[in-house]
Amino acid sequence: MDFTFTEEQQAAVEAARAVFSGTAPDSVPSPALTPGAVAEDIDRRLWGELASADLLGLTLSEEYGGAGLDPVALCLVLRESAKVLARVPLLESCAVAMAVERYGESGLAAELLPRAVRGELILTAGANGRTGHDPAELAVTARPEGPGAAPSGWVLDGAQSAVPWAQVADRIAVPAHTGEGRAVVALVDPAQEGVTLADQVSTSGERLAEVRLDAVRIDARDLVDAPGAWEWLRALLTTGTCALALGLGERVLAMTAEYTGEREQFGFPVATFQAVAVQAADRYIDLRAMEVTLWQAAWRISTEAGGPLPAAGDIAVAKIWASEGVRRIVQTAQHLHGGFGADTDHPLHRFHAWAKQIELSLGPAAAHEEALGDLLAAHPLA
């Protein structure tokens, strides 16, 4: 295991920083003051700049106009995006595109991926199921149309809740289960007959949707039924969420260091007080644990390297640290900022709202602790 980043990965970080440098976390109304979504659309300017910088195709092969890098590079860019609260479905679109290239039919990939690289096509994924607690693939059924082992199409019924930016997406990756209990991924056009979108709003104020499917018919090639496709996509989405948590946590701790270094009490900066320094140091330790577990998980996905546990174990550990760590970081930041932490004119409360959304996305820490326990029971460590 080598956590040294390649020149290509470092170049991706530099390109991302250049793009995100023009993005302000407070470019939309505060979620604390807005009863609904803070905006109806994604940040189209930023989306276009990401496409122009070739960051939307970062992990796709050159055949489709991509750069051919790995999930580690994607996580590095996601880390930078979270520092400015970038309002774009970068994780979802890139993760679904990678799954289509890896597991989908070549015709489907040729149709969708070049447009996704250019930013003309937005992809998203439903990964929360109906309630957010049960496996997402159990919330939708997929039954074949036509006789034999090669059906001409599939019919989908069910619902996926809290789907990011479904209202502006061109395709939604919907996990489903077949009559044999297999997990599959359907690429659904939200405009087609039988699809209904009910508006939802995230903790961060971003648009979500409950996607309801009532006898929705799709072509056979729009359903990815390769073994392990959904599990791989869910793993990548979870790992990417950990990268978002790390970037947000780093930005918040930097804001806290800057504030406590300037704020004075009794003639001294509050950062010099032992109680303040100890709390900040504890959060720094959280960040380092979040970082090392993230890169371990991303490395396992990128290399498919073996280990004492399946890669799902490393992903569970990373998400446990991401969920718990980012929560502790923003709570400490709120405390050390005093009244400014809750001031809606100060950006910190926005980071707190985003942190809560990230903490719960793809499962809170408790869910991944349970999954890790199951893995340890099934794979006893020598």
Side-chain angles (χ1 to χ4, degrees):
M1 178 170 54
D2 183 2
F3 286 161
T4 302
F5 300 121
T6 66
E7 291 184 6
E8 292 81 3
Q9 291 166 346
Q10 293 171 344
V13 173
E14 293 174 3
R17 286 174 178 167
V19 171
F20 293 129
S21 64
T23 301
D26 54 357
S27 60
V28 293
S30 165
L33 303 176
T34 308
V38 296
E40 294 298 307
D41 200 357
I42 65 172
D43 187 337
R44 292 284 178 175
R45 177 201 61 80
L46 179 57
W47 191 250
E49 291 183 1
L50 288 168
S52 297
D54 296 326
L55 292 174
L56 297 183
L58 190 68
T59 53
L60 297 179
S61 66
E62 295 181 2
E63 176 184 357
Y64 303 110
L69 299 186
D70 59 12
V72 172
L74 175 60
C75 288
L76 285 166
V77 174
L78 291 169
R79 179 188 193 179
E80 298 303 316
S81 75
K83 295 177 182 179
V84 296
L85 306 182
R87 299 180 48 261
V88 288
L90 181 60
L91 167 58
E92 293 81 10
S93 200
C94 290
V96 173
M98 289 183 70
V100 169
E101 180 179 22
R102 184 182 178 98
Y103 294 102
E105 291 189 1
S106 58
L108 179 65
E111 176 188 342
L112 299 182
L113 300 188
R115 296 175 60 201
V117 169
R118 296 192 298 267
E120 301 168 0
L121 189 82
I122 295 177
L123 305 170
T124 189
N128 292 296
R130 187 179 293 273
T131 65
H133 298 286
D134 300 322
E137 65 271 20
L138 300 182
V140 176
T141 60
R143 64 181 189 275
E145 275 192 323
S152 59
W154 293 81
V155 180
L156 308 173
D157 288 282
Q160 292 285 345
S161 65
V163 179
W165 295 111
Q167 297 88 341
V168 300
D170 298 286
R171 294 290 189 279
I172 303 171
V174 177
H177 68 282
T178 67
E180 297 83 23
R182 291 186 297 115
V184 296
V185 180
L187 274 294
V188 177
D189 183 343
Q192 72 185 87
E193 184 178 358
V195 180
T196 304
L197 304 182
D199 282 347
Q200 296 176 318
V201 181
S202 73
T203 303
S204 60
E206 303 302 319
R207 291 186 79 186
L208 305 174
E210 181 185 54
V211 179
R212 301 169 185 165
L213 308 171
D214 184 12
V216 175
R217 287 171 169 79
I218 63 171
D219 293 335
R221 74 164 190 165
D222 291 330
L223 186 128
V224 181
D225 62 353
W230 165 239
E231 290 78 8
W232 188 89
L233 175 55
R234 180 177 57 197
L236 182 56
L237 289 169
T238 305
T239 304
T241 303
C242 297
L244 294 173
L246 176 61
L248 187 148
E250 289 176 330
R251 179 69 185 114
V252 167
L253 192 59
M255 292 167 61
T256 304
E258 181 180 1
Y259 176 80
T260 56
E262 295 175 350
R263 174 69 170 171
E264 292 189 358
Q265 288 184 359
F266 312 110
F268 297 94
V270 297
T272 62
F273 298 167
Q274 186 178 33
V276 172
V278 167
Q279 291 183 67
D282 285 342
R283 302 295 76 83
Y284 177 81
I285 293 171
D286 279 333
L287 278 179
R288 297 289 70 80
M290 292 164 65
E291 184 175 23
V292 70
T293 54
L294 163 64
W295 300 131
Q296 169 77 2
W299 175 76
R300 289 290 302 274
I301 293 176
S302 298
T303 63
E304 299 183 355
L309 292 177
D314 291 301
I315 294 167
V317 171
K319 188 56 168 70
I320 291 167
W321 272 105
S323 292
E324 295 285 355
V326 78
R327 175 179 54 79
R328 288 192 292 261
I329 289 167
V330 294
Q331 286 179 343
T332 297
Q334 290 275 8
H335 174 64
L336 296 183
H337 273 78
F340 282 105
D343 187 349
T344 55
D345 290 330
H346 193 281
L348 180 60
H349 78 286
R350 297 173 183 267
F351 286 88
H352 201 156
W354 276 69
K356 179 55 65 175
Q357 180 67 28
I358 291 172
E359 175 191 349
L360 302 178
S361 293
L362 278 299
H368 290 276
E369 288 167 352
E370 183 177 348
L372 181 60
D374 292 340
L375 285 169
L376 288 169
H379 302 82
L381 302 179

